[in-house]
Amino acid sequence: MVWNRLSDQFYDDPQVEELRDDLAAFCVDMWTRALSYCGRHLTDGRVPAGKLGKLSVIPVWACKYVPDLSPGTLGDELVRVGLWSR
């Protein structure tokens, strides 16, 4: 079992604060799940695009309020703020 470390300053990191308000909670959830995935599968931080759907939790009700909410949108947002790269 691999353990990951998360900074106690993560919540107010400038990159996290730059996330779109309507996507921020979903992005942080996906980022944290991806961290766990990478640790478990020893991928050196790489997440296959095909796994994005499994790493995101998007309740049906949320799509009513955020029309462009999708695993791809969340990934794009994480790239935009610099928490992920392609």
Side-chain angles (χ1 to χ4, degrees):
M1 176 185 290
V2 174
W3 289 90
N4 290 303
R5 300 177 102 184
L6 181 63
S7 169
D8 60 358
Q9 298 173 0
F10 177 75
Y11 74 96
D12 66 351
D13 182 283
Q15 291 171 310
V16 174
E17 289 185 342
E18 193 179 330
L19 291 166
R20 274 179 37 188
D21 289 341
D22 58 344
L23 298 179
F26 300 108
C27 285
V28 168
D29 179 66
M30 185 179 202
W31 186 91
T32 307
R33 289 169 182 265
L35 179 69
S36 177
Y37 173 88
C38 292
R40 180 174 186 173
H41 297 284
L42 305 175
T43 67
D44 282 335
R46 291 175 179 82
V47 177
K51 292 290 181 188
L52 294 181
K54 281 211 163 259
L55 297 175
S56 61
V57 176
I58 301 175
V60 175
W61 62 264
C63 296
K64 176 180 177 183
Y65 301 102
V66 186
D68 61 341
L69 189 56
S70 71
T73 301
L74 299 178
D76 290 344
E77 182 67 1
L78 289 164
V79 169
R80 184 187 71 78
V81 301
L83 288 170
W84 278 9
S85 62
R86 294 199 193 279

